[in-house]
Amino acid sequence: FVVWLAQPALLFGITANAHWSSYRLDFTLAMAGALVGTFVLVLALTWRRMGAGDAVVDAQSAAYANNGFLGIPLGLLVFGDWSLPFSGVSVILTACVLYALGLIGLEMARAHGHGLGKALMKAGGAVVRNPMMIAPAVGAVFSTLGLKPPEGVTTLLGLLAGAAIPCALVALGLFLAENAKAGFGDWSWAPLTAAKLIVQPTIAWLIAGPILHAPLQVVQMAVLMAMMPTGAGPFMLAQVYGRRGAVASQTILMTTVLSIVSISVYLTVIR
C-alpha cells in the first residue's frame, strides 16, 4: 500500500505544487552531494565485505533522510514558510534520486551473472515502472504546465498521501517488535548511524559553505535537512528485496532516537 499507492500520492503532491522559481542551485547541489556522497561512501566500504545487494540496503540506511515526516515541519518551525521550497527539494532528492539509486543497485545485484547489458535493462525497467518514480515525474509535468487534477482526484490523492508515513511507521514498528533481538548484538547499525548523523551533515556543510559560499541561512537549512534521521525508504526496499530488513529498521530507530539530541543541540547553536 505504501510503496504502490500512498507514497507515490505524496510525491505527486509535492512536485505538482512545486514553485520551481523558488529553488536555489547551491542548496540543491549541497543536498544532492550529501545524499549521494554518503550513499557512495558506505557502498564502497561495504561492497566487498557483504556483497552488492546487502551493501546497497546499508548505503540507503546511512543516506536516506526523513525529510518528509520530520524535515518539513522542523524547517517550518525554525525558518518559517521560507523553508518549504528547500525541504521540498530535499524530499524529492531523497525519495526520487536516492531511492532510484537503491532500486538500480538492487536490480543489478539481482541480475548478477546474467550479463551487464541485461542487468542494466532490468534495473532501468524497474525504475521506469516504479510508481515512486512515475508519480513525481507526472507531478512535475502538472506543475510546469500549470495543470490541476479534478477536485475529486485531489481529495483522493490527499487521503492517500496522508496515510503514507503513518502506515510506513506502523509497518516498521511491527517489524521492530517481531525482530527485537535480531541484529542489535552485532552493532551493524552503529556505523550506519554515525554516517547518517555525522558524515552526511558534514558533507552538506562543506558543499554549501566552504565550497559554494551559500548564504548562511541556506547553509543552516542544508545542514538541518542532512541531520534528519533515516526515513522508512530503506526499510521498504529491504522488505521488497528481502535483504537486511532488521539492520535497516534498527538504523531507523537508533538515528531517530539519537537525532533528538543532535538536532536539539544544533538548533540551540544556530538560534
Side-chain angles (χ1 to χ4, degrees):
F1 172 75
V2 173
V3 176
W4 292 95
L5 288 174
Q7 188 79 358
L10 176 64
L11 293 174
F12 173 85
I14 290 172
T15 55
N17 295 300
H19 300 288
W20 305 111
S21 60
S22 302
Y23 296 145
R24 290 185 60 102
L25 180 60
D26 47 14
F27 177 86
T28 303
L29 291 175
M31 279 307 304
L35 292 167
V36 176
T38 307
F39 176 83
V40 171
L41 175 63
V42 174
L43 189 65
L45 293 174
T46 58
W47 185 287
R48 292 185 179 275
R49 178 166 54 86
M50 63 178 59
D54 289 347
V56 168
V57 173
D58 274 16
Q60 286 278 306
S61 298
Y64 195 102
N66 193 353
N67 289 324
F69 186 56
L70 295 177
I72 292 176
L74 265 176
L76 284 170
L77 179 65
V78 179
F79 297 107
D81 290 343
W82 172 87
S83 69
L84 282 174
F86 299 93
S87 52
V89 167
S90 301
V91 172
I92 293 168
L93 289 173
T94 303
C96 298
V97 177
L98 190 63
Y99 194 86
L101 288 177
L103 274 176
I104 292 170
L106 286 166
E107 284 294 336
M108 291 188 68
R110 177 185 280 180
H112 181 68
H114 299 284
L116 179 61
K118 186 175 180 180
L120 288 173
M121 287 183 63
K122 288 197 67 175
V127 171
V128 171
R129 294 190 303 269
N130 192 285
M132 290 183 62
M133 302 296 109
I134 297 171
V138 174
V141 172
F142 270 68
S143 175
T144 302
L145 299 179
L147 303 175
K148 294 291 182 184
E151 186 176 347
V153 175
T154 301
T155 302
L156 175 61
L157 291 174
L159 291 172
L160 289 171
I165 295 170
C167 286
L169 291 175
V170 167
L172 174 61
L174 291 172
F175 188 87
L176 281 170
E178 184 180 346
N179 298 274
K181 297 181 180 180
F184 277 97
D186 64 5
W187 291 77
S188 296
W189 52 268
L192 305 180
T193 298
K196 181 68 202 69
L197 299 183
I198 300 174
V199 175
Q200 191 172 82
T202 302
I203 296 174
W205 171 77
L206 283 171
I207 297 175
I211 296 176
L212 297 179
H213 303 288
L216 177 60
Q217 199 169 24
V218 173
V219 176
Q220 292 173 343
M221 184 65 183
V223 173
L224 178 62
M225 292 296 101
M227 292 183 75
M228 294 299 110
T230 302
F235 173 74
M236 292 189 289
L237 279 176
Q239 287 294 87
V240 170
Y241 288 89
R243 293 181 179 271
R244 305 277 286 177
V247 174
S249 61
Q250 289 151 10
T251 304
I252 295 169
L253 174 64
M254 295 308 297
T255 55
T256 300
V257 171
L258 294 175
S259 69
I260 296 173
V261 177
S262 60
I263 293 174
S264 297
V265 171
Y266 175 69
L267 293 181
T268 300
V269 171
I270 69 171
R271 302 303 287 180

